[in-house]
Amino acid sequence: MSWILLIVAGLLEVGWAIGLKYTEGFTRLWPSVATLVTMGFSFGLLSVAMKDLPVGTAYAVWTGIGAVGTVVLGIVLFGEAATVARLFCVLLIVAGIAGLKFVTP
């Protein structure tokens, strides 16, 4: 169950990272509120997952999911560059996340 909570927390991190773009420096009310609420849920689920998972693994997986998801959505939503080098780096992050999952009891 902790892994599921951690994955959801990571997906929520993607949500609030993308949400930051829409807040325009926290000058837009509703995007700012949604981003802050999403941050709260993301941190809360991360905290619960850390009850059973090692802190280093949980934090690395959480930030990895957030980083990969944010890069992918940046490409899709904002037309950011999708170069081979950039996508290879994302693949390395995914490999690290998978590796941590497999070596963590």
Side-chain angles (χ1 to χ4, degrees):
M1 187 63 174
S2 294
W3 280 103
I4 292 169
L5 293 176
L6 182 60
I7 290 167
V8 172
L11 294 173
L12 289 170
E13 184 188 3
V14 174
W16 67 256
I18 295 297
L20 284 173
K21 179 81 168 169
Y22 292 104
T23 68
E24 295 180 11
F26 289 103
T27 60
R28 297 181 61 211
L29 177 62
W30 295 114
S32 297
V33 169
T35 297
L36 291 171
V37 168
T38 306
M39 280 179 179
F41 279 111
S42 180
F43 283 113
L45 290 176
L46 173 63
S47 174
V48 173
M50 282 185 176
K51 286 182 177 180
D52 297 319
L53 298 173
V55 66
T57 298
Y59 186 74
V61 169
W62 180 71
T63 57
I65 292 169
V68 169
T70 303
V71 168
V72 170
L73 285 181
I75 291 167
V76 171
L77 297 175
F78 307 121
E80 295 176 1
T83 64
V84 172
R86 204 163 181 229
L87 295 176
F88 179 71
C89 291
V90 168
L91 181 64
L92 290 174
I93 296 170
V94 171
I97 294 168
L100 285 171
K101 168 64 173 113
F102 290 124
V103 300
T104 300

